[in-house]
Amino acid sequence: MSLNRTTLFRPAIHPRDQRFGRGLKQERWWLNSDPIATAFYNAMSVTFPRGEAFFVESVRAFRDGTPPQLHDEINAFIKQEVNHSREHVAFNNRAIDSGYDISKLEADVIEMLDRTKGRPPIVDLAATMALEHFTAMLAHELLANPKHLAGGEASTRQLWRWHALEEIEHKGVAYDTWLHATRDWSRLKRWRLKSLMMLLVTKNFVHGRTVGILELLRQDGVTGPRAWAGLFWYAIASPGMLRRLIPGWISYFMPGFHPWTHDDRDLIKLHASDYAAAIMPQMSEAA
Ligand SMILES: [Fe+2]
Ligand SMILES: [Fe+2]
């Protein structure tokens, strides 16, 4: 199967180099004064700086020889991910300042990335592609369902919405890079590796984030059945982020899947205008 760039929509990718929450004394439980909701996002954020650097390297390794438009999209993807990492480093530092010790979570990320050393680059690209699908699904939910961030501290909510918006915008880039890099492969060979990596990535993602969330909750004095039941309720029932990802997750294994077969460009438009309105006061203050 060749890369057919004419049949599916892809949005223009605009890196928005913005900063959030500088100088903010972040509440320890910044989301609804809820330790579980806070831990859910904090544990994810700890993985972003190193995780997104891995995504960048995995995609950059296949940039040479790509068609000009994809080449440009890869460059824009890299700029966006680099900005995300910077802002999540700042966010993670605010979480540290609010009293959390994230060193154990960081050590787990380093150990996980160490395990990728020496792997063929195409396997890293397949892992990145699976994780980019994960982040695109999370991003869609975050923007489509205001319930997730309702009650959160304003500039922190903006940070997550900005990240989500750009994740949707560039959700096809790793996949298109993979389609180009494996253009000589059979469909079965492609499907086998991408599916295997999705299963592996899902196991590691769910396990890794669960361990991280429970560690942060332990630091809040929430342990045992209270922590497990609270996390289960939050992730599966209400607001139920994990449950809501299941249909998108299944779609990844279906024939003909591409991130843009689920066209959610309206979320970009809607939240780009929301986003512009939200940063307007900051911009006029800065002027
Ligand atoms: Fe990102
Ligand atoms: Fe991304």
Side-chain angles (χ1 to χ4, degrees):
M1 189 170 73
S2 64
L3 171 58
N4 185 346
R5 294 187 56 86
T6 58
T7 52
L8 280 175
F9 164 82
R10 282 150 183 93
I13 299 172
H14 303 290
R16 300 159 183 80
D17 186 2
Q18 293 290 325
R19 286 158 205 258
F20 301 87
R22 295 297 195 275
L24 173 75
K25 191 178 177 316
Q26 190 162 294
E27 292 291 322
R28 183 176 175 105
W29 298 341
W30 59 269
L31 186 48
N32 270 323
S33 303
D34 177 355
I36 293 170
T38 300
F40 189 84
Y41 289 93
N42 284 8
M44 253 194 300
S45 180
V46 172
T47 69
F48 287 153
R50 287 189 176 82
E52 295 192 311
F54 171 79
F55 298 171
V56 163
E57 290 313 315
S58 306
V59 172
R60 201 198 323 249
F62 290 92
R63 182 176 54 187
D64 287 353
T66 51
Q69 192 184 338
L70 179 56
H71 196 278
D72 291 348
E73 286 170 0
I74 291 172
N75 288 341
F77 157 84
I78 291 172
K79 279 188 190 145
Q80 288 189 333
E81 296 293 30
V82 167
N83 290 342
H84 301 167
S85 291
R86 182 193 68 208
E87 290 312 298
H88 280 275
V89 165
F91 173 85
N92 296 343
N93 285 336
R94 293 196 292 278
I96 293 169
D97 291 343
S98 77
Y100 286 111
D101 177 2
I102 63 169
S103 56
K104 196 169 175 306
L105 282 72
E106 282 184 317
D108 288 347
V109 175
I110 292 168
E111 197 220 310
M112 171 68 64
L113 289 171
D114 277 349
R115 274 192 255 153
T116 69
K117 298 243 164 77
R119 266 188 344 196
I122 196 69
V123 177
D124 288 345
L125 182 61
T128 293
M129 185 172 77
L131 282 161
E132 279 287 284
H133 183 53
F134 246 102
T135 50
M137 291 190 298
L138 285 160
H140 177 95
E141 244 322 289
L142 214 58
L143 294 186
N145 185 352
K147 201 174 169 183
H148 294 293
L149 292 174
E153 192 281 321
S155 64
T156 307
R157 245 184 14 232
Q158 276 304 319
L159 159 69
W160 284 91
R161 284 156 58 104
W162 162 80
H163 193 169
L165 165 68
E166 294 200 340
E167 285 302 323
I168 292 179
E169 207 169 64
H170 74 225
K171 69 177 178 171
V173 175
Y175 206 90
D176 284 340
T177 307
W178 152 267
L179 288 177
H180 183 262
T182 61
R183 60 198 178 281
D184 299 327
W185 291 24
S186 69
R187 291 167 72 102
L188 178 64
K189 188 178 173 187
R190 264 180 177 163
W191 183 83
R192 217 166 37 201
L193 181 56
K194 86 164 205 181
S195 300
L196 268 173
M197 290 314 290
M198 180 50 111
L199 293 173
L200 184 67
V201 153
T202 303
K203 177 180 151 284
N204 291 340
F205 182 89
V206 174
H207 177 259
R209 292 316 70 74
T210 303
V211 168
I213 291 167
L214 292 175
E215 166 59 16
L216 295 177
L217 287 175
R218 188 192 63 74
Q219 296 177 27
D220 286 323
V222 182
T223 56
R226 207 177 131 221
W228 278 102
L231 175 56
F232 182 82
W233 179 262
Y234 186 81
I236 306 296
S238 178
M241 175 65 93
L242 212 57
R243 169 176 50 85
R244 293 168 194 273
L245 303 189
I246 293 170
W249 186 85
I250 292 171
S251 73
Y252 192 79
F253 300 90
M254 295 295 156
F257 168 84
H258 183 281
W260 280 110
T261 48
H262 180 204
D263 184 352
D264 49 1
R265 77 183 93 168
D266 287 351
L267 282 178
I268 301 177
K269 272 193 230 145
L270 176 68
H271 286 271
S273 54
D274 275 7
Y275 171 79
I279 64 166
M280 211 70 88
Q282 295 175 21
M283 291 173 79
S284 47
E285 270 168 33

